[in-house]
Amino acid sequence: MATPDYILELRAKVGHDPLWLMSATAVVVRPSAARPGVREVLLAHRSDFLTWAAVGGIIDPGEQPAIAAARELLEETGVVAEPETLAWVHVQDPAVYPNGDHVQFLDLTFRFRWVSGEPYPADGENLEARWFDEDRLPPLSDEMTGRVGHALAAGEVTRFEA
């Protein structure tokens, strides 16, 4: 799903001015079949920024964050997964989308356990979606490296930014 309708309605009123939004990220892991003891991480190659990233998106009004992350994951990759833990709560740096929209997100990053489905670019937001061994990830932004790193390192304790 592209930009939610309520964001489009807000944008009609505020134009490209900054919006404060909440997002949920799903860092999905599963055991590697080829390399025992190694986990695979699901990443998608975004069509807007042309970067690899964990799947996530805007939390709809009233939506539970983990449910939002699971919804985005299914919509974007066709993968079903279950949340295991909230790994990181942080404020992202302000960003500008290619269309000129200014945003800043409070992101809730979850580690998810893969349940079923093989990834594919299901909704047009991504060019590709696939598994990577945790020690063989493609280049990621510093922001995404933080999300994936905290999710992979997380036990049952959430990391909060101070």
Side-chain angles (χ1 to χ4, degrees), residues 1 22 34 37 56 66-67 76-77 87 90 99 105-106 119-120 135 137:
M1 177 172 155
M22 293 173 287
I67 292 171
E76 293 187 24
T77 69
H90 72 291
N99 69 354
F105 287 97
L106 169 65
Y120 67 98
D135 58 351
L137 299 176

Side-chain angles (χ1 to χ4, degrees), residues 60-84:
D60 289 337
E63 187 175 29
Q64 294 293 332
I67 292 171
R71 173 184 51 77
E72 290 284 344
L73 180 66
L74 183 60
E75 288 174 359
E76 293 187 24
T77 69
V79 167
V80 175
E82 295 179 348
E84 291 185 317

Side-chain angles (χ1 to χ4, degrees), residues 46-159:
R46 294 178 54 125
S47 61
D48 53 2
F49 293 109
L50 301 177
T51 57
W52 285 98
V55 174
I58 296 170
I59 301 169
D60 289 337
E63 187 175 29
Q64 294 293 332
I67 292 171
R71 173 184 51 77
E72 290 284 344
L73 180 66
L74 183 60
E75 288 174 359
E76 293 187 24
T77 69
V79 167
V80 175
E82 295 179 348
E84 291 185 317
T85 190
L86 176 61
W88 193 24
V89 176
H90 72 291
V91 174
Q92 293 176 232
D93 289 335
V96 180
Y97 280 91
N99 69 354
D101 287 349
H102 291 250
V103 295
Q104 188 167 16
F105 287 97
L106 169 65
D107 182 72
L108 304 165
T109 298
F110 295 87
R111 182 181 65 228
F112 272 68
R113 179 182 56 80
W114 175 80
V115 173
S116 65
E118 285 304 316
Y120 67 98
D123 70 354
E125 288 190 47
N126 299 300
L127 302 172
E128 184 179 0
R130 66 185 186 96
W131 297 101
F132 290 88
D133 288 347
E134 65 186 308
D135 58 351
R136 297 178 181 166
L137 299 176
L140 301 173
S141 69
D142 290 345
E143 169 72 27
M144 198 53 59
T145 297
R147 290 187 215 181
V148 172
H150 292 309
L152 291 176
E156 297 303 317
V157 178
T158 304
R159 177 187 166 115

